[in-house]
Amino acid sequence: MGDPARKAALYDAFARTGKALSSGKRLELLDLLAQGERTVDALAKAAGLNLTTASAHLQTLKQAGLVATRRDGVRIHYRLAGDDVAALYALLRQVAHIHQAGVEPARTAYLGADEAEEVDREALRTRAEAGEVVVLDVRPAEEYAAGHIPGALSIPVEELAERITELPQDTEVVAYCRGAYCVLAYDAVRLLQERGRRAVRLTDGMLEWRLADFPVAADAAA
């Protein structure tokens, strides 16, 4: 039959992972870390947290074994503990979207309701290899350096209006960012279309691209 106390201890151990995931801000930190390693300062800034709160959330994730650290002088760098953590985060979002009625309205309110065309990973890879599209990475430069779709151009979304002339006028642009729920690609496509450019979005983003084991390029210094 097994020892009930030991069984309870086992399930409590499982539950510690669930508890670590029970904060929207901690999920946001995992989303950021899925793009690449970052310091506490960088994570706090990107997530809109003060340093103390960000550190506390990261410690909770570390205690659950979801993130790992390395020290570089006085700086602590965080990273996901493994690809399985990224897969768990992606699956959590998928399950929530399918089974929780409030997710889709929240998604639409955040990303905006539009009719922009999207292209999936397989189609993008084929069209990019054929030279039919320009692949545009609109994430921050440090995320691009940590890993991007091979051949993609890097223009962070906040710089796109000033740097739009760097994109050829006669080629369709496919914009992508962190993942399926990242607003940056939505904002980029809206801007490009307003400027008369042919632009579509990748259906998801870098998180899903990595999890599908598609090729990833990275800067040598990243």
Side-chain angles (χ1 to χ4, degrees):
M1 294 293 291
D3 186 305
R6 291 180 179 179
K7 179 180 179 181
L10 172 61
Y11 279 86
D12 284 343
F14 294 152
R16 281 194 285 275
T17 297
K19 290 177 182 177
L21 297 174
S22 65
S23 159
K25 277 300 180 183
R26 287 198 287 274
L27 293 179
E28 186 176 351
L29 290 169
L30 291 179
D31 187 52
L32 292 166
L33 288 170
Q35 307 302 310
E37 184 182 75
R38 292 202 189 192
T39 64
V40 180
D41 290 351
L43 287 166
K45 181 178 180 181
L49 297 169
N50 63 52
L51 195 58
T52 301
T53 303
S55 296
H57 281 312
L58 289 165
Q59 281 302 307
T60 298
L61 292 170
K62 185 178 181 181
Q63 289 164 8
L66 297 175
V67 300
T69 60
R70 70 174 178 89
R71 181 179 290 275
D72 181 13
V74 298
R75 294 190 172 213
I76 303 296
H77 297 253
Y78 278 82
R79 66 184 183 277
L80 294 185
D83 292 341
D84 53 352
V85 178
L88 173 63
Y89 167 62
L91 181 59
L92 184 153
R93 297 187 320 182
Q94 180 183 347
V95 170
H97 201 160
I98 293 171
H99 298 286
Q100 188 184 143
V103 171
E104 182 57 28
R107 175 187 179 278
T108 301
Y110 175 54
L111 299 177
D114 61 36
E115 302 299 325
E117 182 184 346
E118 294 183 330
V119 60
D120 64 27
R121 291 187 300 272
E122 289 287 355
L124 174 58
R125 188 175 179 181
T126 299
R127 295 180 67 190
E129 289 175 353
E132 298 175 357
V133 296
V134 173
V135 184
L136 178 63
D137 188 316
V138 297
R139 298 173 299 157
E142 62 269 21
E143 295 181 17
Y144 174 87
H148 54 268
I149 295 175
L153 299 178
S154 173
I155 305 181
V157 68
E158 66 270 15
E159 301 174 13
L160 185 55
E162 294 182 357
R163 297 175 58 187
I164 194 170
T165 55
E166 297 178 26
L167 299 171
Q169 294 190 13
D170 57 350
T171 305
E172 185 173 73
V173 175
V174 180
Y176 76 91
C177 52
R178 293 169 180 149
Y181 299 88
C182 177
V183 74
L184 305 180
Y186 282 74
D187 290 343
V189 168
R190 291 184 189 108
L191 187 152
L192 289 167
Q193 290 179 341
E194 288 169 0
R195 301 294 180 90
R197 300 299 185 96
R198 289 187 294 135
V200 300
R201 287 188 303 270
L202 179 61
T203 305
D204 36 51
M206 201 63 213
L207 169 64
E208 295 85 359
W209 185 275
R210 286 181 184 273
L211 290 175
D213 288 327
F214 278 29
V216 174
D219 290 358

